[in-house]
Amino acid sequence: MKGLLAAIVTIFFFYPAIAQQMSYRVRGSVRNAQQEAVPGASVLLTNVRDSALQKTAVTDDEGNFSMELQQPGVYLLIATTLGYDRYVSDTIVIDRQHSDITLPGIVLRTGAARTLKGIAVTGRKPLIERQIDRTVVNIDALISSAGSNALELLAKSPGVTVGNDMIGLNGKDGVLIYIDDRPTYLSGADLTNYLKSLPGATIDKIELITNPPARYDASGNTGVINIRTKKSK
């Protein structure tokens, strides 16, 4: 009887912590009007209330994406890529009853041709770039970066999970964190506190490297997250 009572008390006290650790998943695919996969498209999940960016993803070679987040809420999903009009979804409700959502296929359509006269066009970096060996998040293109810290920006990056003093990349824990190509040699709470102390305004880009080249000291299949600061320029 005492054992049963102890178990009930344990569940009562630890249930809130378990609830807070619950994760939510949104997945789907991006196609064009010809139903061909659109790889490398940026997928953004924003809060309906204040348009704050919650999570990002990049479509793979088959046009599929998946993003994991820690907070329930009501969101809009935006899909963009060069040469296509921006797609904005209807509202998406994420809660305990809708914790793993597979969206209907997203279709991106090419915009109508326009003739521009006397207008200077300036280039702007996209939020997410998919390179040969890494995915790059350009922080200056992230409107909600002001007032954020490095840990919060990582939590919004594609494939990155943050929680319980652990940082994961594409389902792999124990990711190595580099600052300007130099290892931090920190882990656990020490790493979390350090990233919280690093203002988002000082960060230029975040490089997510799932298969690190030899110059990174990453053994096995452990990924690398390289945070490049504006100071490094």
Side-chain angles (χ1 to χ4, degrees):
M1 185 65 180
K2 289 183 179 180
L4 178 61
L5 180 60
I8 294 174
V9 171
T10 300
I11 293 173
F12 176 79
F13 280 106
F14 283 94
Y15 178 78
I18 295 173
Q20 291 176 358
Q21 295 171 11
M22 182 174 180
S23 62
Y24 306 85
R25 187 178 299 276
V26 178
R27 65 188 87 199
S29 63
V30 179
R31 301 282 187 271
N32 59 21
Q34 290 73 41
Q35 289 302 306
E36 299 168 333
V38 179
S42 299
V43 183
L44 318 176
L45 197 66
T46 62
N47 198 304
V48 169
R49 185 181 67 255
D50 54 10
S51 298
L53 182 64
Q54 185 70 25
K55 192 66 180 177
T56 60
V58 181
T59 56
D60 60 20
D61 292 337
E62 297 178 353
N64 300 320
F65 68 89
S66 177
M67 56 180 73
E68 185 175 323
L69 58 155
Q70 305 299 319
Q71 297 295 330
V74 182
Y75 300 101
L76 290 176
L77 186 139
I78 301 170
T80 63
T81 193
L82 188 65
Y84 293 89
D85 286 338
R86 187 174 75 152
Y87 168 89
V88 181
S89 73
D90 295 329
T91 54
I92 302 171
V93 178
I94 301 176
D95 53 24
R96 287 185 170 276
Q97 287 71 42
H98 308 87
S99 60
D100 194 341
I101 299 175
T102 300
L103 300 174
I106 296 171
V107 178
L108 295 184
R109 303 191 182 279
T110 54
R114 300 177 179 89
T115 302
L116 302 179
K117 296 182 179 179
I119 298 178
V121 179
T122 58
R124 181 181 178 185
K125 285 186 177 181
L127 172 60
I128 303 172
E129 295 180 86
R130 195 169 72 158
Q131 300 180 0
I132 295 176
D133 63 343
R134 68 195 63 193
T135 298
V136 179
V137 182
N138 294 303
I139 301 303
D140 283 343
L142 185 61
I143 298 176
S144 60
S145 63
S148 300
N149 57 51
L151 189 67
E152 292 170 333
L153 294 177
L154 282 177
K156 297 175 182 178
S157 299
V160 178
T161 53
V162 175
N164 297 326
D165 294 327
M166 290 291 293
I167 298 175
L169 178 60
N170 294 335
K172 301 175 184 177
D173 292 330
V175 174
L176 300 179
I177 305 295
Y178 278 62
I179 306 293
D180 296 326
D181 285 324
R182 297 181 180 179
T184 60
Y185 297 111
L186 297 175
S187 61
D190 292 334
L191 176 60
T192 298
N193 291 332
Y194 171 71
L195 293 174
K196 286 180 179 178
S197 71
L198 193 61
T202 66
I203 299 174
D204 179 44
K205 62 182 66 175
I206 297 174
E207 298 175 338
L208 311 173
I209 312 170
T210 52
N211 296 303
R215 63 191 179 93
Y216 291 103
D217 185 19
S219 59
N221 294 323
T222 303
V224 166
I225 297 177
N226 185 35
I227 300 174
R228 291 193 179 275
T229 63
K230 294 177 179 177
K231 180 181 178 181
S232 67
K233 288 186 175 181

